[in-house]
């Protein structure tokens, strides 16, 4: 069994990103738009801005009030869409109640959609033509590659079907030639499906949902969940202590998928800038 150290990989990749940017005459620019005062969103945005500074990406922060109108949000995004300093635009979701995130996202041009959340980018991903894919699943694929995992022909099971994690994860695994099953709250006999997984990715948001009896010997288990356990401690969807004994590879929470998400955002901003 090996625990994948997402933090160490993220640190290494960020050093590579910094080196690429240092060598370039063009400095990538990322606009971060936040609407309202949601404390969790503010922490995420702060972390993203800090990570940008570390690798040499110029970040431009835009804060709109909780009572901003749909038109105000979309006008700002339209302005950023044509701003030449800005290579990537990140709209922190969810938006406050009453605002339509999907409609707002449509104002971010596909080439500046560094989160990969736009309908166009999701469509391109479904056709295996996307240059940019959602950061969390894309970061997971980077982790798998870094461990030398070849997904070809493997049974991959994704728990969760959100547009931001589960669905793009399933499409990335499919594009990597895995045989993919996507499970959700209406799935029947989820345990049996999981027991057949060579690669099991859990993104449902339920503490210790994946137990050892659901996992095949030698499986690769990737835990996207970010939950609090009964003592208020951060934990994933996987019962890590018991499941780890059965796995060939497993990600911990914290220190697994999480650090790779922001690193992938930095990579996506470079792709948007340098059109790699
Ligand atoms: P979400 O939008 O709430 O989606 C959860 C998915 O899980 C849904 O598809 C839901 O099914 C499914 N689900 C819920 N209960 C289930 C059950 N008992 N059995 C099977 N499926 C079930 O969540 P998300 O945004 O994808 O995030 C999932 C988790 O990942 C959360 O803990 C979140 O905090 C974490 N996350 C972590 C990172 C990171 O960087 N580490 C990034 C993003 C998200 P239905 O569709 O049928 O409702």
């Amino acid at each position: 069994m090996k625990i994948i150290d997402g933090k160490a990989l993220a640190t290494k990749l960020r050093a590579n990103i910094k080196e690429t940017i240092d060598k370039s005459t063009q400095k990538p620019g990322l606009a971060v738009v936040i609407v309202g005062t949601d404390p969790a969103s503010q922490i995420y945005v702060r972390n993203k801005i800090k990570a940008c500074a570390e690798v040499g990406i110029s970040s431009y922060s835009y804060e709109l009030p909780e009572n901003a109108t749909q038109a105000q949000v979309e006008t700002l995004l339209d302005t950023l869409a044509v701003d030449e300093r800005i290579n990537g635009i990140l709209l922190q979701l969810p938006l406050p109640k009453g605002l339509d995130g999907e409609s707002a996202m449509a104002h971010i041009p596909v080439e500046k959609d560094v989160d990969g959340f736009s309908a166009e980018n999701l469509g391109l991903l479904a056709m295996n033509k996307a240059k940019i894919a959602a950061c969390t699943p894309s970061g997971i694929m980077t982790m798998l590659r870094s461990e030398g995992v070849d997904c070809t022909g493997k049974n991959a099971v994704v728990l969760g079907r959100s547009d931001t994690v589960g669905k793009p994860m399933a499409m990335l695994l499919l594009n990597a030639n895995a045989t993919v099953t996507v499970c959700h709250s209406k799935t029947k006999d989820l345990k049996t499906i999981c027991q057949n997984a060579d690669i099991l990715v859990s993104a449902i948001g339920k503490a210790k949902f994946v137990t050892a009896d659901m996992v095949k010997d030698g499986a690769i288990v990737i835990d996207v969940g970010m939950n609090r356990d009964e003592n208020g401690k951060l934990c994933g969807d996987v019962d890590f202590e018991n499941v780890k004994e059965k796995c060939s590879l497993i990600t911990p929470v914290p220190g697994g998928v999480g650090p790779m998400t922001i690193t992938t955002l930095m990579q996506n901003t470079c792709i948007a800038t340098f059109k790699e």
Side-chain angles (χ1 to χ4, degrees), residues 44 136 159-162 164-166 183-186 190 202-206 209 224-227 237 257-258 261:
Y44 291 141
T136 300
L159 304 183
R161 58 172 166 181
S162 67
T164 49
V165 188
C183 300
H184 46 78
S185 66
K186 309 287 183 292
L190 186 131
S202 185
I204 62 176
K206 290 208 157 46
F209 180 89
V224 185
M226 288 208 302
N227 315 297
D237 288 350
V257 172
T261 297

Side-chain angles (χ1 to χ4, degrees), residues 9-39:
L9 180 60
T11 304
K12 190 174 122 197
L13 293 174
R14 285 187 202 191
N16 294 345
I17 297 168
K18 184 173 184 326
E19 204 183 312
T20 307
I21 295 174
D22 285 348
K23 278 192 203 145
S24 165
T25 48
Q26 191 188 2
K27 294 290 166 244
L30 176 69
V32 183
V33 179
I34 181 167
V35 188
T37 52
D38 177 58

Side-chain angles (χ1 to χ4, degrees), residues 118-189:
S118 66
E120 192 172 345
N121 254 328
L122 269 173
L124 287 168
L125 185 62
M127 297 160 76
N128 198 8
K129 287 183 180 163
K131 291 201 175 73
I132 285 174
C135 297
T136 300
S138 209
I140 290 170
M141 295 309 287
T142 306
M143 278 179 140
L144 292 175
R145 276 194 299 273
S146 79
E147 293 296 332
V149 175
D150 179 2
C151 295
T152 306
K154 293 213 165 53
N155 286 331
V157 172
V158 179
L159 304 183
R161 58 172 166 181
S162 67
D163 292 342
T164 49
V165 188
K167 277 183 202 151
M169 185 75 250
M171 289 192 277
L172 283 166
L173 287 163
L174 185 61
N175 292 345
N177 297 319
T179 303
V180 184
T181 307
V182 184
C183 300
H184 46 78
S185 66
K186 309 287 183 292
T187 298
K188 293 205 172 95
D189 207 3

